[in-house]
Amino acid sequence: MLSCKQVASLASQYLDKDTSTPLNWQIRLHLLMCANCRRFVRHLKITRTLAKNIELTDNAIDTETIWKHLQEKIQQEKSKNENNHSPENKSQE
Amino acid sequence: MDENVLITLLIAGDDKAFRYLISQYQALMLSIARAIVGDVFADEIVQESWVSVYKNIAGFEKRASLKTWLLTIVSNQAKARLRKESRMVSLDQLDGEIPGSYLDNTNFKGNGHWQHPVTSWSIESPEALLEEKQLQICINKTLNQLPPAQKAAFILRDIEQQSFEDICSILNVSASNVRVLVHRARLTLMQVIDRYQETGSC
């Protein structure tokens, strides 16, 4: 018989359908008998649903500055290549 | 913007489209870089990634989505830096349970049963909870305060809906560690909702 602590640790895996069949049954058996863990798993499921719909508000992104740095870097590399005609063999993704 | 249109513009060298790309993906790429190499190098890694994107976009083939391609680039840049610095940063966050978290031993009796009943919620409908503006603010705030690896794993899994397999390779952690990271992040956010249900604030 699983303890509440074990069920609480496995709850995400259970919700993500990522537990083996025997383990899945053990969790379901526990949930059948334990109102606290049922509530816990239910709340976790709501949390997951809520998360899917989160609008990420990150600290303001300064697109223009990033763009400027990018242009500078490209210019630098260009002039470097023009100065010494060494072939570039950097591997790129 | 439609992805195909965006890609066409990017390949054609449209600056405005590239700026749009930055505004859309900078935050996500920064989360990935932070998770892999930590705060100190993250900005630099993302900046280098944009250079790589800029130089290689003309050859982009639509075998993968634009997002997957960008994530792979930033992940590879960060991993390369990690090898160079030869230090592991992100896995520190896996050690031990955070005091006060749901899985903390003090929440359980010796036999593994709950010490106290699990907090009940007055609102259990996700739709209704999504209407709560203050709760959104609280969730966002907490998400931004999560340890970097947890934050990145959570965003990739629950918001971006990437597979565990892809997350493992992007973040450079084992499958079981990704699961632990995602679970911890969810539990932390669940506690935010607990508190909000009780007090109406963060």
Side-chain angles (χ1 to χ4, degrees):
Chain A
M1 181 73 187
L2 294 173
S3 70
C4 298
K5 190 174 197 306
Q6 286 171 312
V7 172
S9 310
L10 292 164
S12 269
Q13 240 174 292
Y14 173 72
L15 286 177
D16 291 336
K17 299 195 168 43
D18 205 19
T19 40
S20 67
T21 312
L23 189 56
N24 199 49
W25 278 106
Q26 286 188 61
I27 294 172
R28 287 169 79 164
L29 188 66
H30 182 106
L31 292 178
L32 215 58
M33 293 185 289
C34 179
N36 266 321
C37 283
R38 274 205 299 278
R39 183 184 285 163
F40 182 85
V41 170
R42 194 168 67 237
H43 287 180
L44 189 64
K45 195 174 175 184
I46 297 170
T47 305
R48 197 183 56 167
T49 311
L50 225 53
K52 277 182 202 167
N53 298 291
I54 288 177
E55 296 257 341
L56 276 184
T57 55
D58 226 279
N59 310 335
I61 297 158
D62 190 352
T63 306
E64 286 310 312
T65 307
I66 298 165
W67 173 251
K68 227 179 78 200
H69 283 162
L70 170 61
Q71 290 303 310
E72 282 164 12
K73 196 88 184 255
I74 298 284
Q75 280 307 320
Q76 270 172 23
E77 288 190 14
K78 250 191 202 156
S79 54
K80 215 159 86 193
N81 283 344
E82 278 159 16
N83 288 342
N84 50 18
H85 290 269
S86 62
E88 219 189 349
N89 45 9
K90 259 195 200 161
S91 61
Q92 292 292 349
E93 282 77 31
Chain B
M1 194 188 291
D2 176 69
E3 177 152 319
N4 280 323
V5 176
L6 179 61
I7 293 170
T8 311
L9 287 171
L10 287 169
I11 292 177
D14 185 300
D15 288 355
K16 230 168 147 185
F18 205 93
R19 285 200 190 83
Y20 174 80
L21 191 70
I22 294 174
S23 71
Q24 291 299 298
Y25 289 102
Q26 172 73 15
L28 180 58
M29 286 169 64
L30 205 50
S31 311
I32 309 291
R34 278 196 187 122
I36 300 171
V37 290
D39 251 342
V40 185
F41 301 111
D43 277 307
E44 202 184 317
I45 294 294
V46 177
Q47 192 74 54
E48 284 166 14
S49 302
W50 284 125
V51 174
S52 176
V53 170
Y54 189 84
K55 287 200 286 202
N56 292 294
I57 189 75
F60 177 71
E61 292 167 29
K62 294 173 195 167
R63 273 197 298 259
S65 74
L66 193 54
K67 188 193 281 174
T68 306
W69 187 63
L70 294 172
L71 292 181
T72 310
I73 288 179
V74 71
S75 160
N76 286 344
Q77 295 270 6
K79 285 180 205 160
R81 172 57 70 94
L82 195 64
R83 279 195 295 275
K84 213 167 105 192
E85 303 290 334
S86 66
R87 42 188 281 231
M88 293 300 286
V89 187
S90 55
L91 289 181
D92 297 351
Q93 295 149 6
L94 281 168
D95 295 332
E97 289 302 334
I98 311 134
S101 97
Y102 257 119
L103 299 180
D104 194 323
N105 273 328
T106 59
N107 279 336
F108 297 92
K109 295 178 186 159
N111 59 7
H113 285 287
W114 293 101
Q115 190 74 254
H116 307 288
V118 173
T119 322
S120 69
W121 290 359
S122 49
I123 315 171
E124 286 209 351
S125 132
E127 293 78 20
L129 284 169
L130 278 169
E131 295 289 313
E132 304 282 324
K133 281 276 164 328
Q134 183 57 38
L135 177 61
Q136 293 280 315
I137 295 170
C138 296
I139 290 178
N140 254 305
K141 203 172 121 196
T142 309
L143 190 58
N144 284 322
Q145 288 166 347
L146 287 178
Q150 270 187 44
K151 183 183 171 188
F154 177 80
I155 291 176
L156 289 172
R157 178 65 199 167
D158 280 353
I159 301 178
E160 302 292 339
Q161 313 269 305
Q162 303 279 314
S163 71
F164 276 114
E165 212 183 349
D166 286 347
I167 300 172
C168 292
S169 79
I170 292 169
L171 294 183
N172 212 15
V173 289
S174 72
S176 59
N177 282 349
V178 173
R179 289 189 178 91
V180 171
L181 291 169
V182 172
H183 190 45
R184 290 204 179 144
R186 285 178 185 165
L187 291 180
T188 304
L189 294 179
M190 193 165 135
Q191 280 181 310
V192 174
I193 306 175
D194 274 348
R195 210 154 40 234
Y196 180 81
Q197 297 265 359
E198 206 181 330
T199 66
S201 60
C202 303

